[in-house]
Amino acid sequence: MSDRAGTVERWLAWRYLATRQREGFVSFIAIFSLIGVALGVATLIVVLSVMGGFRQQLLGRIIGLNGHIVITARDGGMVQATPDLLAKLKGFPGVRSVNLALERQALVTANNQTRGALVRGVRPEDLRAREMVSGNVVHGDLDAFGTRPGVVVGERLRQALNLGAGDKITLVTHRVNDNGTIAPRYSDYEVLASFVTRRYEFDNGLVFVPLPMLQNDLEYDKEPVTSIVLDIPDPAPAPQFAEDLRKALGRDDLRIAHWLGLNARFVGALQVERVMMFIILTLIVVVAAMNVVASFTMLVRVKRGSIAILRTMGASPGTIVRAFFLSAAAVGLVGTAVGTGLGLLVCANMEGIARLLVLLTNAGGPGAGWSELEFITSAPVRVQPAEVLSIIAIAILLSLAAAAYPAWRSTRVEPVEGLRHE
């Protein structure tokens, strides 16, 4: 008996959705409500996936050069990278690599031009293992880095100083003497290569120098460095990893920081932007759900006579409620399914779509730089299953909530009043 009742309710729901003469306008609104739900869900998936991709890309570039865990001196001075300390760090569970860095603000002079830059002394093997640099060399190569006085610079800085591989530059650094005075240091180097990270502060103001050579220029021994950088397999647990490492070392003279803490404002801004965009775009689905409420509330009013006839023929109020609920909910559920498929399809073909938009808008015409064009056409996409499922869940809940009111309104129709207007 229940199966038969369910069949009747589904048949009635379909009849309410079908376009008829008087109800044509109502069905027209219902169709556009379905399209609105689909577009809202698709927009949410596409925008949040692209934002997630950009977030991952930006953080990846920062981490790719600065590492996951940074150990510095608590007093702001130099860290003594003794063999014993390095052995403890390399032996700590979860440490993938240990890198040394000696940083100084400097002036870079070449071709009668001077630019400010951050000079970072690194071991040659550390630089070659740093994929963010070695995998993005656009001019020259890293083969000779560490074998002779040579530097690797950001591509924008190379272009600004009009340099090429083999050209000479002068680095003006400084060292604080024992008596507290600052002594400048002048060193000549050869430009070996340049790299592109697509982060302005790196490409425009970062110079890599072999660590032993920079230590020699500054009259340091082999052990003093400004920081020890650790890489771990997964950056997510970096805060807990830093806390465990701090307890294991037990040294109060060292400050152990993680990438989230060092970039707290930047990461926080990205998270706030993501949450606000989610809320704003969810309003699209809310508006579409309100259209479902309006269209099916109108349908209940138009169908008063049919409801009254069904009631006099013995149909229970529950049957009428479920029929209207199914018809209204179907709009939202089908719209959610279509929107999910559309959103995932766009994400899967984002590169091709971006290139088509570039061609249509002539963004690649004269005056468009290669980096700007590549930035547009290589829009990163990161589809997170949990995020997609949350979008689907919200859309379904809104659709069911929108279907509840018209279904409840159908119970308010009295058979006598309905037949009077028929």
Side-chain angles (χ1 to χ4, degrees), residues 359-379:
L359 292 175
L360 292 177
T361 57
N362 198 30
W370 67 268
S371 59
E372 287 76 9
L373 181 60
E374 187 177 5
F375 179 79
I376 296 172
T377 57
S378 62

Side-chain angles (χ1 to χ4, degrees), residues 17 25 28 43 57 137 159 166 216 222 240 255 274 416:
L17 285 173
F25 180 68
F28 180 79
T43 302
Q57 191 178 80
V137 173
Q159 294 177 356
N216 183 64
K222 294 183 179 181
Q240 184 59 47
R255 178 185 288 110
R274 188 182 186 83
V416 175

Side-chain angles (χ1 to χ4, degrees), residues 59-142:
L59 294 179
R61 289 170 182 169
I62 294 175
I63 298 173
L65 280 179
N66 296 332
H68 302 123
I69 306 295
V70 180
I71 302 175
T72 57
R74 189 169 295 277
D75 59 1
M78 306 294 289
V79 177
Q80 297 297 321
T82 61
D84 181 59
L85 176 60
L86 295 180
K88 288 182 179 179
L89 294 176
K90 291 178 181 178
F92 193 80
V95 174
R96 189 172 60 184
S97 64
V98 179
N99 306 313
L100 305 180
L102 174 58
E103 294 185 349
R104 280 289 184 271
Q105 293 292 334
L107 293 176
V108 182
T109 302
N111 298 323
N112 297 321
Q113 299 184 72
T114 301
R115 290 293 183 98
L118 175 65
V119 174
R120 181 179 297 180
V122 296
R123 295 180 298 188
E125 61 271 22
D126 293 344
L127 183 65
R128 295 188 181 95
R130 186 66 65 182
E131 181 65 24
M132 184 57 62
V133 177
S134 61
N136 292 285
V137 173
V138 295
H139 189 83
D141 57 67
L142 303 180

Side-chain angles (χ1 to χ4, degrees), residues 7-8 56 107 142 210 243 350 390 404:
T7 302
V8 172
Q56 184 182 34
L107 293 176
L142 303 180
E243 183 63 27
M350 180 59 69
S390 66

Side-chain angles (χ1 to χ4, degrees), residues 14-15 37 80 141 172 174 266 276 322 329 384 399 413:
W14 171 251
R15 294 291 296 174
V37 173
Q80 297 297 321
D141 57 67
V172 184
H174 70 278
F266 182 71
M276 293 305 299
R322 285 189 289 271
Q384 296 180 285
S399 301
V413 177

Side-chain angles (χ1 to χ4, degrees), residues 41 74 178 191 203 230 398:
V41 172
R74 189 169 295 277
D178 295 336
V191 175
D203 296 343
L230 308 182
L398 288 174

